[in-house]
């Protein structure tokens, strides 16, 4: 399907979606607490890994 070229075409697509029962503008979901925690721990592990690699190069 090609993107709409005019506003009228876009409004027609939105009206078809609404008639079909599809919400074209769903509410934005909040990031879960688990995702934030997992990302934080991943970043900590990566930083510790980089620092240990850097120290190992200077010590060796």
């Amino acid at each position: 399907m090609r993107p709409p070229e005019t506003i009228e075409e876009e409004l027609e697509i939105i009206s078809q979606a609404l008639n079909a029962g599809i919400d074209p503008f769903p509410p934005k979901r909040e990031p879960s607490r688990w995702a934030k925690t997992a990302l934080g721990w991943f970043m900590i592990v990566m930083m510790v890994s980089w620092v240990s690699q850097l120290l190992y190069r200077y010590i060796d």
Side-chain angles (χ1 to χ4, degrees), residues 9-59:
E9 290 177 359
E10 191 165 352
L11 290 174
E12 179 63 30
I13 292 170
I14 291 172
S15 69
Q16 289 174 356
L18 289 173
N19 290 337
I22 300 170
D23 185 9
F25 307 106
K28 188 174 180 180
R29 289 180 45 195
E30 292 291 323
S32 68
R33 185 171 182 203
W34 283 105
K36 288 181 181 178
T37 304
L39 181 61
W41 277 106
F42 175 75
M43 292 176 67
I44 289 170
V45 168
M46 289 301 296
M47 284 189 271
V48 168
S49 172
W50 292 335
V51 169
S52 66
Q53 287 177 4
L54 185 67
L55 290 175
Y56 184 73
R57 287 183 188 164
Y58 285 122
I59 292 173

